[in-house]
Amino acid sequence: MALSDKLDGLKSIWKFDNRWQLLLSRLLFRKNGLNVYCLDEMKILIDHSAGDESGTRHVLVSPMYQQFLAKMTFPNSINVLDLGGNGGGFALMLQHRKIPLKKVVAVEFNPYTHSRMTFNLRQNLECEFVALNAAVCGEAKSLCLQLGRGGTSDNIYNPVNRRQGKVMMIQGITIDELYETYFRGETIDLCKMDIEGAEHEVFAYPHHNAMRHVRYLLVEIHGNDPEKNTAILHRLNQLGFVEEKGEQVDGQDVRFFRNLIMTR
């Protein structure tokens, strides 16, 4: 690990209430990957051996998503759809920032990461929530995936090598199915999409019309293919979204979109 990464990690740890405990754990007991991070009244399970510090912890303390909150206007309480939920950091960040939550549906396809997400949401959220173990896809299907303990680069396109990791069957689900099951007739006030390349598949299929019911969208578009990236932006424009610029944080280019129809 580069020295700069270690320093960034120490700076992140320092933002938590039990910083001294965490610092000693990381310095003296590094083989123990599981740590509980305390932030105000929240207790958040982080697995360093699975890269949760680059996902859950990073979302909580970095400006990656928080930079956009000032640009949003919400009703009294909001519905949140978190696609690529990792350890639940996005919803926890919203609660920590005093955004009133009505219902959270968080989708994570890795069962190990999903178990930590479920713990974190159940332990800390004060609203209704669903922690769903599924993969967001362009069409409903069953996926045969080889999975380890988790990681921010997990994606549904990893090849299966039965000598590494554990092979599992994961259900693929569309955004329209999610909407009809959990939000039918409601507005999704905020949707976060970080699904490691599957966003290209999602917007290539017709099963994303529920996005018309989304007020604000935060999405990370992966890959360096300008044609594919432009196709996503074009489809979002057709759905009523307009992009507002944000800053790139640690190489992660999160894009913020406002639905012109829903935010009038």
Side-chain angles (χ1 to χ4, degrees):
M1 181 184 293
L3 178 60
S4 60
D5 292 334
K6 291 181 180 180
L7 291 175
D8 287 342
L10 291 175
K11 289 178 183 178
S12 295
I13 284 176
W14 216 248
K15 296 180 181 180
F16 290 87
D17 301 335
N18 59 331
R19 57 184 68 90
W20 289 110
Q21 175 192 2
L22 294 170
L23 182 61
L24 287 174
S25 175
R26 298 309 301 148
L27 290 175
L28 302 178
F29 305 100
R30 293 189 66 83
K31 290 184 179 180
N32 177 21
L34 286 172
N35 287 270
V36 174
Y37 282 66
C38 300
L39 186 63
D40 291 341
E41 297 182 356
M42 295 194 297
K43 293 180 174 59
I44 305 140
L45 183 63
I46 300 291
D47 188 351
H48 286 261
S49 63
D52 288 355
E53 73 278 10
S54 299
T56 309
R57 187 184 72 185
H58 187 64
V59 171
L60 276 163
V61 299
S62 83
M64 178 170 57
Y65 293 116
Q66 297 186 48
Q67 62 176 307
F68 299 107
L69 294 180
K71 299 181 179 183
M72 304 180 192
T73 303
F74 292 123
N76 292 332
S77 59
I78 68 171
N79 289 327
V80 177
L81 177 59
D82 186 358
L83 305 176
N86 196 262
F90 185 70
L92 300 183
M93 178 273 292
L94 293 174
Q95 178 163 293
H96 184 246
R97 290 294 302 270
K98 310 301 183 185
I99 304 295
L101 303 176
K102 177 182 178 183
K103 177 166 55 180
V104 172
V105 176
V107 186
E108 170 56 46
F109 80 92
N110 186 305
Y112 299 104
T113 309
H114 171 264
S115 67
R116 298 191 295 277
M117 179 180 77
T118 302
F119 173 86
N120 287 334
L121 297 184
R122 180 174 289 119
Q123 174 72 27
N124 297 294
L125 287 192
E126 301 170 356
C127 66
E128 176 186 353
F129 77 89
V130 175
L132 186 64
N133 185 201
V136 182
C137 301
E139 60 180 348
K141 55 187 174 182
S142 293
L143 300 168
C144 182
L145 302 173
Q146 181 176 328
L147 301 170
R149 293 180 62 87
T152 56
S153 61
D154 272 356
N155 66 78
I156 63 174
Y157 306 111
N158 284 334
V160 172
N161 180 345
R162 296 182 184 275
R163 292 177 295 179
Q164 299 177 4
K166 186 175 181 180
V167 178
M168 305 180 189
M169 296 301 298
I170 305 296
Q171 183 59 42
I173 191 168
T174 69
I175 293 176
D176 285 354
E177 288 176 313
L178 287 167
Y179 180 80
E180 286 298 314
T181 303
Y182 300 107
F183 295 106
R184 187 175 185 180
E186 300 181 72
T187 295
I188 299 172
D189 298 288
L190 177 55
C191 175
K192 185 266 277 182
M193 181 184 296
D194 184 5
I195 50 179
E196 298 300 319
E199 65 275 5
H200 297 284
E201 175 182 328
V202 165
F203 288 107
Y205 281 80
H207 306 299
H208 53 259
N209 285 322
M211 295 297 296
R212 298 183 185 276
H213 300 280
V214 172
R215 192 185 304 271
Y216 299 107
L217 172 66
L218 292 168
V219 59
E220 187 172 351
I221 301 176
H222 299 81
N224 298 314
D225 188 326
E227 186 175 343
K228 288 184 177 181
N229 294 349
T230 299
I232 291 180
L233 298 176
H234 177 67
R235 186 62 187 127
L236 286 172
N237 184 256
Q238 289 180 324
L239 292 168
F241 288 94
V242 62
E243 183 176 5
E244 297 192 13
K245 296 295 183 182
E247 297 296 326
Q248 190 177 89
V249 177
D250 295 336
Q252 295 171 304
D253 188 14
V254 177
R255 296 175 180 241
F256 170 52
F257 295 87
R258 179 190 303 271
N259 188 321
L260 291 179
I261 297 174
M262 299 298 296
T263 56
R264 283 176 181 171

